[in-house]
């Protein structure tokens, strides 16, 4: 779980030190609120992932660091570290990464802009120059496709 | 507003603005189709999240565990949330809440033999005994211990705050008299979780007193709690 929390924070914030601060806060809070967790609201991991993403985006907005980030390719992952990848990459991780890689470019771009950059559907439509309805449909199709992967036996 | 259906995916991503989210939440209450779809979409968000995993810095795990250890409230919650015994065998059956606690615990177990693990070891012990002091002058307290391990966990709630020159001190009182078993200060909410190590056999009594700051070698204050071990 720590790797997922840190990974999301890093993807949103880019800067590892600030990502670590956010990740720490989230993990401590998860510990504190574990007994109040409501399983009906989704899997524990999704719940924690959404919480991490919200915190990280709040930090970006609060510090206006988004201006610096504009110079980067929006939503692109940090440069791969081959050694680190070996550490974290189990079969399952390889599978989920492949699943995301198998999305169409448009599906992936739209999902990543929404999740890691915190853009609304209208902002994504504007940024990608595609109709609003298309954005909503691609994000939905993409997420359902990823979700089905779980049903296919990924657990 | 038929197109509220279309917002389900953005709701699952937590990417709606506040007005839209409110509208969608109202819609969701009465829309079975969206309720089903949200769970499928959330599974997709989970896959996306796992694909983003990146090795966390090694020191981060230690820092997180340290912060958890330092927070009496979260430590008390942990003891309450853990299954009372045999957690390794019973993991599949425990609630999602406990699974999170264990998941976070494992983060720490990989790098450090921390307090959390010791609490867990005691709570999981086959010979776990739990003694309760319901009517003590310092609020309800419990002592969960394993004589086999020689380890126990004292938990108090409603402990009055002390002056800055005072501390609570636990004692193990055996045939050879009392020996110090740890000093502690409760959290702001009056809770405390203290690990006790020593001879926890029958005939020994766990005691609690208030002592001068830094603790004493022999109890000088009134015995506030006395729990004879079985």
């Amino acid at each position: 779980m720590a790797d997922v929390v840190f990974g999301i924070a890093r993807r949103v914030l880019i800067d590892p030190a600030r990502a670590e601060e956010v990740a720490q806060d989230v993990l401590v809070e998860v510990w504190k609120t574990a007994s109040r967790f409501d399983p009906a609201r989704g899997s524990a991991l999704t719940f924690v992932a959404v919480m991490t993403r919200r915190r990280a985006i709040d930090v970006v907005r609060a510090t206006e660091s988004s201006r610096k980030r504009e110079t980067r390719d929006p939503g692109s992952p940090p440069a791969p570290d081959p050694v680190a990848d070996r550490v974290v990459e189990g079969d399952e991780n390889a599978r989920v990464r492949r699943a995301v890689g198998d999305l169409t470019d448009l599906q992936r771009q739209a999902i990543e802009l929404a999740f890691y950059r915190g853009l609304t559907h209208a902002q994504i439509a504007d940024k990608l120059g595609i109709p609003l309805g298309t954005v909503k449909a691609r994000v939905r199709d993409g997420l359902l496709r990823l979700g089905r992967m779980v049903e296919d036996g990924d657990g | 507003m038929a197109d509220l259906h279309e917002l389900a995916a953005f709701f699952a991503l937590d990417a709606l603005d506040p007005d839209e989210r409110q509208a969608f939440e109202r819609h969701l209450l009465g829309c079975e189709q969206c309720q089903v779809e949200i769970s499928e979409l959330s599974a997709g968000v989970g896959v996306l999240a796992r694909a983003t995993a990146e090795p966390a810095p090694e020191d981060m795990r230690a820092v997180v565990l340290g912060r958890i250890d330092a927070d009496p409230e979260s430590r008390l919650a942990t003891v309450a949330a853990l299954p009372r015994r045999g957690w390794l065998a019973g993991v599949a059956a425990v609630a999602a809440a406990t699974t999170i606690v264990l998941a976070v615990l494992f983060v720490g177990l990989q790098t450090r033999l921390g307090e959390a693990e010791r609490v867990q070891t005691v709570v999981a012990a086959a010979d776990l005994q739990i003694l309760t002091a319901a009517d003590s002058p310092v609020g309800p307290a419990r002592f969960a211990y394993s004589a086999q391990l020689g380890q126990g966990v004292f938990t108090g709630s409603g402990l009055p705050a002390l002056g800055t020159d005072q501390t609570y001190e636990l004692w193990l009182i055996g045939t050879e008299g009392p020996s110090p078993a740890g000093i502690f200060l409760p959290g702001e909410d009056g809770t405390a979780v203290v690990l006790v190590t020593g001879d926890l056999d029958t005939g020994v009594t766990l005691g609690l007193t208030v002592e001068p700051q830094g603790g004493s070698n022999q109890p000088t204050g009134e015995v506030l709690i006395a729990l004879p071990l079985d």
Side-chain angles (χ1 to χ4, degrees):
Chain A
M1 179 172 297
D3 291 344
V4 170
V5 169
F6 178 71
I8 290 173
R10 176 132 155 72
R11 187 72 177 273
V12 173
L13 287 159
I14 312 288
D15 175 38
R18 294 169 72 214
E20 187 176 341
E21 275 175 39
V22 168
Q24 279 179 20
D25 288 348
V26 169
L27 288 171
V28 170
E29 189 169 330
V30 165
W31 176 283
K32 282 191 190 180
T33 57
S35 56
R36 293 198 288 274
F37 173 71
D38 176 7
R41 292 185 59 192
S43 84
L45 186 78
T46 304
F47 175 77
V48 173
V50 169
M51 182 169 140
T52 306
R53 173 257 186 204
R54 162 70 56 186
R55 286 291 174 76
I57 286 177
D58 284 350
V59 169
V60 169
R61 287 180 180 157
T63 59
E64 293 183 353
S65 72
S66 51
R67 249 180 289 140
K68 262 186 264 170
R69 295 173 77 259
E70 288 300 327
T71 58
R72 311 222 184 200
D73 183 20
S76 68
D81 174 346
V83 178
D85 276 352
R86 268 205 308 280
V87 176
V88 81
E89 205 82 304
D91 280 354
E92 185 186 291
N93 286 49
R95 255 194 88 191
V96 294
R97 281 177 200 224
R98 251 199 325 275
V100 173
D102 283 348
L103 297 175
T104 68
D105 285 349
L106 202 54
Q107 284 174 340
R108 195 178 54 250
Q109 275 181 322
I111 288 173
E112 291 182 346
L113 286 171
F115 199 59
Y116 302 118
R117 296 294 302 274
L119 298 192
T120 65
H121 41 81
Q123 288 168 324
I124 295 169
D126 195 41
K127 191 166 187 87
L128 297 180
I130 54 175
L132 196 55
T134 310
V135 170
K136 290 175 180 169
R138 291 302 161 266
V139 169
R140 177 179 176 277
D141 295 347
L143 280 183
L144 287 177
R145 192 163 148 186
L146 293 179
R148 269 197 299 277
M149 192 195 140
V150 178
E151 287 167 15
D152 289 347
D154 183 74
Chain B
M1 297 241 284
D3 67 346
L4 279 173
H5 289 299
E6 295 177 11
L7 295 181
F10 281 81
F11 178 79
L13 288 164
D14 193 22
L16 293 177
D17 66 39
D19 288 347
E20 282 177 330
R21 188 166 61 234
Q22 260 189 352
F24 184 80
E25 279 169 352
R26 274 197 304 274
H27 165 77
L28 187 61
L29 288 174
C31 179
E32 202 172 318
Q33 184 194 331
C34 279
Q35 288 166 13
V36 170
E37 196 163 297
I38 286 292
S39 87
E40 292 168 3
L41 291 162
S42 292
V45 176
V47 171
L48 182 69
R50 279 187 288 164
T52 316
E54 201 180 324
E58 277 304 309
D59 62 338
M60 187 181 97
R61 296 156 197 258
V63 171
V64 168
L65 260 278
R67 283 176 59 181
I68 288 168
D69 282 356
D71 186 329
E73 185 191 352
S74 61
R75 286 150 69 196
L76 200 65
T78 309
V79 176
L82 284 168
R84 278 181 46 180
R85 59 185 69 189
W87 64 272
L88 267 179
V91 154
V94 303
T98 310
T99 311
I100 298 185
V101 175
L102 291 175
V104 179
L105 270 176
F106 275 113
V107 169
L109 296 187
Q110 289 164 10
T111 54
R112 187 188 130 200
L113 294 178
E115 191 170 73
E117 186 198 15
R118 288 166 57 203
V119 170
Q120 181 180 306
T121 308
V122 171
V123 174
D127 67 331
L128 179 78
Q129 300 271 354
I130 299 180
L131 304 175
T132 305
D135 298 323
S136 90
V138 287
R142 276 185 180 180
F143 186 56
Y145 71 100
S146 157
Q148 246 166 36
L149 294 171
Q151 287 191 334
V153 182
F154 172 86
T155 54
S157 52
L159 288 157
L162 298 178
T164 51
D165 55 345
Q166 290 179 313
T167 181
Y168 285 103
E169 185 158 9
L170 288 166
W171 305 92
L172 287 173
I173 306 159
T175 48
E176 289 170 22
S179 56
I183 59 173
F184 67 93
L185 292 172
E188 283 175 19
D189 58 355
T191 64
V193 177
V194 187
L195 279 155
V196 174
T197 303
D199 178 6
L200 301 177
D201 290 328
T202 308
V204 173
T205 295
L206 181 84
L208 178 73
T209 62
V210 174
E211 300 294 331
Q213 186 182 22
S216 309
N217 290 325
Q218 289 293 310
T220 61
E222 180 195 351
V223 178
L224 302 166
I225 292 176
L227 289 169
L229 309 193
D230 289 333

